[in-house]
Amino acid sequence: MLWLKAFHIFFVVSWFAGLFYLPRIFVNHAMTEDHAVRARLKMMERKLYRFVTPIGALAVITGLWLWIAYADQLAIGGWIHVKTALVAGLVAYHFYCGHLVKMFAEDRIAKSHVWFRFFNEVPVLVLIAVVILVVVKPF
């Protein structure tokens, strides 16, 4: 089980790296007027999203595997349900990022770089909450 935990942590860290960087690319994309820069950012967005999606899936799969393996220990606290809800929200965030990649590719984004700066902070807040829930287990 320690190997499974190690791989879960690796996949989660890698997934979050992508979720931190992709919205940052969106910020830059929303700010630029240069067509060559936009074309490069579109390529970066597409490639990063396609790379990080299977990593996110592996993070979720290994997390579910751990949940099943430790079901008897996890049943004593409500923190795991809050964590699961946050992860579900993060999965929705990930798929919304995929939608935004498509919208940017079609030049149909009307949101400002300021909106994307706030959007960029969502995974940071989720990560803080999940780490506190997993380590502290407050309830």
Side-chain angles (χ1 to χ4, degrees):
M1 279 302 158
L2 291 178
W3 281 99
L4 182 58
K5 284 182 185 180
F7 279 109
H8 178 63
I9 292 167
F10 170 77
F11 293 135
V12 168
V13 168
S14 300
W15 186 28
F16 268 98
L19 290 178
F20 290 159
Y21 189 50
L22 184 59
R24 185 62 208 166
I25 297 172
F26 295 159
V27 171
N28 293 329
H29 197 153
M31 287 176 55
T32 189
E33 297 295 326
D34 185 300
H35 294 292
V37 172
R38 282 184 181 223
R40 175 159 298 206
L41 292 171
K42 286 177 186 181
M43 178 194 64
M44 292 171 65
E45 291 160 354
R46 185 184 74 251
K47 286 185 174 189
L48 180 58
Y49 186 75
R50 290 176 76 187
F51 178 76
V52 79
T53 296
I55 293 171
L58 288 168
V60 171
I61 289 166
T62 55
L64 289 172
W65 190 353
L66 286 167
W67 191 358
I68 292 166
Y70 291 104
D72 57 329
Q73 296 172 25
L74 297 176
I76 60 172
W79 65 270
I80 190 67
H81 301 293
V82 176
K83 178 192 178 235
T84 303
L86 288 170
V87 172
L90 196 63
V91 169
Y93 179 90
H94 177 95
F95 285 122
Y96 186 65
C97 283
H99 171 73
L100 292 172
V101 167
K102 182 179 178 185
M103 297 299 283
F104 270 117
E106 297 171 355
D107 294 320
R108 295 186 341 168
I109 290 292
K111 299 182 185 317
S112 73
H113 67 93
V114 175
W115 186 89
F116 285 107
R117 288 179 192 278
F118 284 104
F119 181 75
N120 188 39
E121 300 306 322
V122 171
V124 174
L125 299 173
V126 172
L127 180 60
I128 291 168
V130 168
V131 168
I132 290 170
L133 287 167
V134 170
V135 174
V136 178
K137 295 178 181 64
F139 47 88

